[in-house]
Amino acid sequence: MSSALFGGIEAGGTKFVCVVGSGPDDLGAMERFPTETPEATLPRVIDFFRRQQAEHGELAAIGIGSFGPVDVNPRSPTFGYITSTPKVGWPNTNFLGQLQSAFYMPMGFDTDVNTAALGEWRWGAAQGLDTFLYLTIGTGIGGGGMVNGRLMHGLIHPEVGHMLLRRDPQADPFAGACPYHGDCLEGLASGPALERRWGKRAEGLPADHPAWDLEAQYLALGLVNLIVTISPQRIVLGGGVMQQPQLLPKVRSRVQALLNGYVQSPQITESIDDYIVAPQLGSRAGVLGAIALARQAAGEVL
Amino acid sequence: MSSALFGGIEAGGTKFVCVVGSGPDDLGAMERFPTETPEATLPRVIDFFRRQQAEHGELAAIGIGSFGPVDVNPRSPTFGYITSTPKVGWPNTNFLGQLQSAFYMPMGFDTDVNTAALGEWRWGAAQGLDTFLYLTIGTGIGGGGMVNGRLMHGLIHPEVGHMLLRRDPQADPFAGACPYHGDCLEGLASGPALERRWGKRAEGLPADHPAWDLEAQYLALGLVNLIVTISPQRIVLGGGVMQQPQLLPKVRSRVQALLNGYVQSPQITESIDDYIVAPQLGSRAGVLGAIALARQAAGEVL
């Protein structure tokens, strides 16, 4: 490992991953455990970094990419909190504060998806860009990324999964799985939505199943709306559902068809394979992004 | 007028407005003329500023907010061009270059909507924000704004009007007016779309006409998708269609209804009248934004 060591936490709704290192070439010890209540989970996080420090010496900083919704506004009194999540035990949890009580060092805090986006920007598929999006299509659908060279924050932070899309009830009578909106993007195209519509899990649907054309249609509708608003230089699509290799090419051609020549950029009309891409860091995007967040928190100018 | 004078150009698809001044309190001579071919129109622009300089002395800079699509990437060889517009005579017009050939001074160039957004940010309804949107609902529907304190640019620039929305064909059999997408936001909710659907111009439809609930629904669908992606701190709605006073309250309540409590921010759940607002600069947003662009081009740090 290099001399300066950083801690990274990928805090997902299902599992936590903690790691120590400085980048993709020296990721050291990594520990995974299920996301239980904060009282059960956060002490394991703290214990992991205590052990790492005992073995390797002081960390320079810790980065946290968290499931949400989270408060990512540094000027807010609840900065670093998980706020209104439906996940039992976690609403109004001062995630960052509990870490700060245990360790006196700089810490970075952002959404899980922005953090993965930062990883892809630093070491993966979004290097050199200043405006790009990273979407994860899995248990939920989340989005993050950068605009003007900085991670997207605003009133809150991007959700993306709750975009309201068109659905043809004759072609797709499934009314959607989102408890808030029914047939929003997440309600139509997340892993659980696929499973409820077709009666089996995504990985059990054959590559030529009509599920994949419909899935590509909904994802493409979401991407088109992002393209004509944020105008990203590239879109990275990760998450479990995107593991199906037949899906990404279908999404690309649906995006072109739906835009119908309106956005006259060669990246879209000629090089879409390089415009809508898979993550380069794969499942390590989250923890590597957390390391990159830590490096920023430690004062590194990227 | 103050000592440093700036030129501003609001270049719309229908009319050009040119002005000289330094801000809202000293806007001087203003000249309007119809948008004809570039050969007919740009010499009038140049002539206006020549006369102004003869009278008031050298301008410090000129700002241009242009109809589009335009190339707003300063590293592109066609920076400052109007690119693929359907407007006769204007495709591939080096708008900025022709001005630069006539005047040796700093110039700022952006979309008409980003420029109006900058005006509202500098002197109007978006003061103090770093992430907000400005939409204009008129002959077309356009959007711009800031993310992270800088005007939105990316692969190209935001379009917003071409978002793909849900439409219930039974409630609204009108298939949309957009030549590219049919029933995209602009195809459903622009002034010409209203006119084609209802057979009369927007200003001729009474305030209790069902047109306005439907219009509010489409605008709200678009705003919801912007809220869950860009997470703006405020949305400013301008343009001719928004002149109907009954429309803005309808849009606000439809946004709340469609979000259905998902985005738990008091700005949306409690203060929506201060979250979705009318422009403060009214019809001067465009020219004042062009003055603000000019001030930036002259090196002013805002």
Side-chain angles (χ1 to χ4, degrees):
Chain A
M1 289 194 188
S2 76
S3 54
L5 275 187
F6 303 86
I9 305 170
E10 179 187 2
T14 310
K15 70 173 194 300
F16 269 57
V17 188
C18 296
V19 73
V20 157
S22 70
D25 300 330
D26 73 349
L27 272 198
M30 200 180 300
E31 207 160 292
R32 288 181 180 78
F33 35 87
T35 307
E36 302 174 70
T37 63
E39 295 72 23
T41 309
L42 295 182
R44 295 186 70 168
V45 172
I46 291 166
D47 178 62
F48 169 82
F49 288 115
R50 288 224 169 101
R51 282 184 281 115
Q52 291 298 315
Q53 292 204 126
E55 188 172 342
H56 301 292
E58 291 290 303
L59 299 176
I62 290 177
I64 305 167
S66 176
F67 71 99
V70 288
D71 185 340
V72 293
N73 176 4
R75 291 182 296 275
S76 160
T78 53
F79 174 57
Y81 278 58
I82 293 180
T83 57
S84 56
T85 177
K87 195 161 173 63
V88 176
W90 286 90
N92 304 313
T93 294
N94 187 358
F95 188 169
L96 178 63
Q98 294 196 38
L99 269 288
Q100 285 173 328
S101 300
F103 301 103
Y104 185 72
M105 67 178 78
M107 296 194 190
F109 184 85
D110 214 313
T111 68
D112 45 2
V113 197
N114 264 347
T115 302
L118 183 67
E120 289 289 334
W121 176 81
R122 178 76 192 253
W123 292 298
Q127 291 175 68
L129 306 179
D130 60 36
T131 299
F132 72 93
L133 296 171
Y134 178 99
L135 269 64
T136 173
I137 323 295
T139 310
I141 294 183
M146 281 188 181
V147 172
N148 292 327
R150 292 175 57 195
L151 291 172
M152 292 177 72
H153 299 140
L155 180 66
I156 306 176
H157 51 71
E159 300 282 350
V160 176
H162 295 271
M163 257 196 279
L164 302 175
L165 305 181
R166 59 178 62 170
R167 172 177 64 90
D168 176 352
Q170 299 201 299
D172 178 19
F174 177 63
C178 173
Y180 290 92
H181 313 113
D183 57 352
C184 64
L185 175 58
E186 180 170 297
L188 290 170
S190 66
L194 276 172
E195 186 175 349
R196 278 181 52 186
R197 181 189 290 110
W198 301 106
K200 56 171 71 175
R201 291 175 56 83
E203 53 269 38
L205 296 164
D208 60 355
H209 193 283
W212 300 114
D213 284 335
L214 191 63
E215 177 76 5
Q217 168 74 3
Y218 290 133
L219 294 178
L221 282 166
L223 296 194
V224 162
N225 286 351
L226 293 166
I227 290 167
V228 300
T229 52
I230 296 170
S231 198
Q233 295 156 333
R234 185 171 291 148
I235 299 174
V236 185
L237 295 182
V241 173
M242 293 308 300
Q243 300 292 320
Q244 305 292 319
Q246 71 280 7
L247 184 54
L248 187 54
K250 286 179 193 287
V251 171
R252 289 172 178 145
S253 61
R254 286 309 297 155
V255 165
Q256 287 181 320
L258 288 168
L259 281 172
N260 196 22
Y262 180 73
V263 179
Q264 294 193 2
S265 165
Q267 281 96 322
I268 293 174
T269 54
E270 295 165 22
S271 313
I272 193 132
D273 291 358
D274 189 45
Y275 183 69
I276 302 174
V277 303
Q280 277 183 13
L281 303 179
S283 63
R284 301 203 304 170
V287 284
L288 282 168
I291 295 290
L293 261 188
R295 293 178 68 138
Q296 285 188 331
E300 186 178 89
V301 178
L302 299 182
Chain B
M1 289 194 188
S2 75
S3 54
L5 274 188
F6 303 87
I9 305 169
E10 180 186 1
T14 310
K15 69 174 196 298
F16 269 57
V17 188
C18 296
V19 73
V20 158
S22 70
D25 301 329
D26 73 349
L27 271 199
M30 201 180 300
E31 206 160 292
R32 287 180 181 78
F33 35 87
T35 307
E36 302 175 70
T37 63
E39 295 72 26
T41 308
L42 294 182
R44 295 186 71 168
V45 173
I46 291 166
D47 178 63
F48 169 82
F49 288 115
R50 287 224 169 100
R51 282 185 280 114
Q52 291 298 315
Q53 291 205 124
E55 189 172 340
H56 301 291
E58 291 290 302
L59 300 176
I62 291 176
I64 306 166
S66 176
F67 73 99
V70 288
D71 185 339
V72 293
N73 176 5
R75 292 182 296 275
S76 160
T78 53
F79 173 58
Y81 278 58
I82 294 180
T83 57
S84 56
T85 177
K87 195 160 172 65
V88 175
W90 286 91
N92 304 311
T93 293
N94 187 358
F95 188 170
L96 178 63
Q98 294 196 38
L99 271 287
Q100 284 172 329
S101 300
F103 301 103
Y104 185 74
M105 67 178 76
M107 296 195 190
F109 184 84
D110 215 312
T111 67
D112 46 2
V113 196
N114 264 346
T115 302
L118 183 67
E120 289 289 335
W121 176 82
R122 178 75 193 254
W123 292 297
Q127 291 176 68
L129 306 180
D130 59 36
T131 300
F132 73 93
L133 296 171
Y134 178 99
L135 269 62
T136 173
I137 323 294
T139 311
I141 293 183
M146 280 188 183
V147 173
N148 292 327
R150 292 175 59 195
L151 291 172
M152 291 177 73
H153 300 138
L155 180 67
I156 305 176
H157 52 70
E159 300 281 350
V160 177
H162 295 271
M163 256 195 280
L164 302 174
L165 306 181
R166 59 178 62 169
R167 171 176 65 89
D168 176 351
Q170 298 199 300
D172 179 19
F174 178 62
C178 173
Y180 289 91
H181 311 115
D183 56 353
C184 63
L185 174 59
E186 180 169 298
L188 290 169
S190 66
L194 276 172
E195 185 174 350
R196 279 181 52 187
R197 181 189 291 110
W198 301 107
K200 57 171 70 174
R201 291 175 57 82
E203 52 270 40
L205 296 165
D208 60 355
H209 193 283
W212 300 114
D213 283 334
L214 192 63
E215 179 75 6
Q217 167 74 2
Y218 291 133
L219 294 178
L221 282 166
L223 296 195
V224 162
N225 287 351
L226 293 166
I227 290 168
V228 301
T229 52
I230 295 168
S231 199
Q233 295 155 333
R234 186 171 292 148
I235 300 174
V236 185
L237 295 183
V241 173
M242 293 309 300
Q243 300 292 320
Q244 304 292 320
Q246 71 280 7
L247 184 54
L248 188 55
K250 287 180 192 285
V251 171
R252 290 172 177 144
S253 61
R254 285 308 299 154
V255 165
Q256 287 180 320
L258 287 168
L259 281 172
N260 196 22
Y262 180 74
V263 179
Q264 294 194 1
S265 165
Q267 281 96 324
I268 294 174
T269 54
E270 295 164 23
S271 314
I272 193 131
D273 290 359
D274 189 45
Y275 183 69
I276 303 174
V277 302
Q280 278 184 12
L281 304 179
S283 63
R284 300 202 306 167
V287 284
L288 282 168
I291 295 290
L293 260 188
R295 294 178 69 138
Q296 285 189 330
E300 186 177 272
V301 178
L302 299 184

